[in-house]
Amino acid sequence: MIYEVAELYIKPESHTAFQAGVAEAVPLFRGAKGCLSMRLDRDIETPDTYHLVIGWETLENHTVDFRGSTDFQAWRTLVGDHFARAPKVEHFATVVDGF
């Protein structure tokens, strides 16, 4: 499994609408090929910053299957207007699973 961690920078006036858009998008991720988990975390010290953390079976499930789908376009329609700047997206693999 790999984790997509998207750092999202949201316009100060858009938090409520952005969070509602992410909640509405949950079924898009739940139905995506290889998507195992999805959560949204808000930065306590920098409240305009969020981390969208998605578990994928493979990197390609995200970069090819999901990004090439109509569900990705629907996702961007739901949340894209709330971005203050482009998201930073990286992929991680767990190397130590402490507990």
Side-chain angles (χ1 to χ4, degrees):
M1 179 188 333
I2 63 99
Y3 291 96
E4 167 196 358
V5 179
E7 190 163 276
L8 308 172
Y9 314 99
I10 305 305
K11 297 172 187 172
E13 68 278 4
S14 290
H15 293 277
T16 300
F18 168 70
Q19 290 176 36
V22 173
E24 189 175 337
V26 168
L28 301 175
F29 290 100
R30 187 180 305 275
K33 179 181 177 184
C35 188
L36 303 172
S37 63
M38 176 254 194
R39 75 173 196 264
L40 181 68
D41 300 327
R42 187 173 185 183
D43 190 322
I44 294 169
E45 289 81 17
T46 312
D48 292 340
T49 303
Y50 292 77
H51 283 172
L52 178 67
V53 182
I54 303 175
W56 297 98
E57 286 183 18
T58 68
L59 179 63
E60 292 74 21
N61 286 149
H62 174 229
T63 60
V64 177
D65 300 325
F66 185 67
R67 283 199 177 163
S69 72
T70 57
D71 284 345
F72 177 75
Q73 297 305 318
W75 155 249
R76 290 305 292 244
T77 298
L78 287 168
V79 299
D81 288 342
H82 306 298
F83 294 161
R85 63 181 196 240
K88 176 184 172 189
V89 179
E90 296 180 324
H91 298 91
F92 294 85
T94 301
V95 294
V96 175
D97 192 5
F99 60 91

